[in-house]
Amino acid sequence: MKQTLHPLKTSSLTNMEAGQIIRRHLSDLGTITPDLLTDAPFNNYLEQLTNLAPVYENALAQVRKNEETEKIVLADGVRDKAVTAFGTALKLYALSDNQAEVEASRGLNILFGTFKNLARLNYEAETLGIDKLTNELNSPAYSEKVNQLRMGKYVTRLIESNAAFKSLFGGRMVTTAGTEAYDLKTIRIEMLNKNSDFANYVLSMAKATDNPLFVSALNLLNTARKYYSDLMARRNAPKAEKENPAV
């Protein structure tokens, strides 16, 4: 029987998939009978991949954490603008030539003034402050003034931007990747190159020796490689159909 390595373009794997396929290989190869594990280079490759996998996962977690932090910062900026917009609108109504509007804006400004520097507070304090402010604005004591000045859209903007922030901040990752800085790209290349060297070694040895260790390992590697190859094929199918529509 001709031994082959199932084709797989690992460079096209997503970062998550790259980590998953290595974990899959390590898990599958872990089912091989220990008595067969007598080849030093084979065991050395396994050890190196076993050591690289958690380092890669830490790097991936760090990137995710950074992406999540960036989203939180952006969401906070959105609600800060909502706070500023509300305050600016109040100032404009304070200059109105309609005395009723001036009085309504004065009443709302007194309330708003009790939440001084709201946009400069730390995340959780600002969240609580906006919740309290909008609850007051929607209460009977202030809702009439809000309606009179047609400022409901500003209140809604405050509520929605704060809710969006809370959703991100509350769901942030609680795990950390430690204090060490990881270069995901470099680690990914090293890990996938090591995996490629290992797969080619297994293929060569399976062809040369027909040893049960290498035959079994090759079959296990190919099973995972086919799974991810098929996964990428399905993912790329819609794009291919769009670029080459049937006549």
Side-chain angles (χ1 to χ4, degrees):
M1 178 180 174
K2 184 178 179 181
Q3 304 287 8
T4 60
L5 192 63
H6 191 87
L8 174 66
K9 189 177 180 181
T10 56
S11 61
S12 296
L13 293 169
T14 66
N15 285 335
M16 177 66 75
E17 290 166 350
Q20 289 173 336
I21 192 172
I22 299 303
R23 280 298 182 188
R24 169 73 182 273
H25 284 331
L26 292 173
S27 176
D28 289 349
L29 294 169
T31 65
I32 293 177
T33 303
D35 292 345
L36 295 179
L37 301 176
T38 58
D39 185 79
F42 182 95
N43 293 336
N44 186 45
Y45 274 122
L46 271 186
E47 182 179 0
Q48 291 182 67
L49 286 172
T50 299
N51 292 335
L52 279 170
V55 175
Y56 179 80
E57 288 165 4
N58 282 344
L60 186 59
Q62 185 179 68
V63 169
R64 282 173 158 182
K65 181 185 176 185
N66 290 341
E67 289 176 349
E68 195 68 18
T69 300
E70 183 178 357
K71 290 177 183 178
I72 289 172
V73 171
L74 291 174
D76 181 55
V78 170
R79 67 176 184 173
D80 286 349
K81 288 181 180 179
V83 171
T84 300
F86 181 83
T88 300
L90 280 181
K91 290 179 181 178
L92 290 175
Y93 279 114
L95 300 175
S96 174
D97 57 5
N98 183 315
Q99 191 56 36
E101 289 182 346
V102 173
E103 286 300 314
S105 69
R106 187 179 69 83
L108 291 178
N109 198 49
I110 291 173
L111 170 66
F112 189 54
T114 63
F115 296 89
K116 187 177 181 180
N117 296 323
L118 185 56
R120 297 182 182 179
L121 298 176
N122 65 56
Y123 287 156
E124 295 185 60
E126 183 176 352
T127 297
L128 181 60
I130 293 176
D131 280 341
K132 288 184 175 180
L133 173 62
T134 52
N135 285 338
E136 289 290 339
L137 291 171
N138 284 325
S139 71
Y142 295 99
S143 60
E144 185 176 342
K145 293 181 176 62
V146 171
N147 292 333
Q148 183 179 356
L149 299 181
R150 299 174 295 282
M151 290 186 61
K153 63 179 181 180
Y154 294 103
V155 177
T156 299
R157 182 177 173 184
L158 281 168
I159 293 172
E160 292 180 348
S161 61
N162 202 36
F165 176 85
K166 285 191 286 186
S167 177
L168 281 173
F169 190 72
R172 70 193 186 285
M173 291 184 66
V174 295
T175 56
T176 65
T179 58
E180 184 177 355
Y182 296 95
D183 184 337
L184 180 67
K185 183 177 180 180
T186 299
I187 298 171
R188 173 190 165 109
I189 291 173
E190 180 184 1
M191 182 180 70
L192 291 180
N193 282 346
K194 186 65 63 177
N195 183 63
S196 178
D197 290 344
F198 175 55
N200 286 323
Y201 174 73
V202 169
L203 174 63
S204 297
M205 293 299 289
K207 286 180 175 180
T209 67
D210 206 29
N211 184 304
L213 168 63
F214 299 107
V215 172
S216 297
L218 182 62
N219 288 334
L220 291 170
L221 291 174
N222 277 337
T223 298
R225 290 173 68 91
K226 183 178 186 305
Y227 172 83
Y228 282 96
S229 177
D230 291 346
L231 182 67
M232 286 193 292
R234 290 193 297 271
R235 184 163 64 216
N236 295 331
K239 180 179 178 181
E241 291 175 2
K242 184 176 181 180
E243 294 177 349
N244 302 288
V247 179

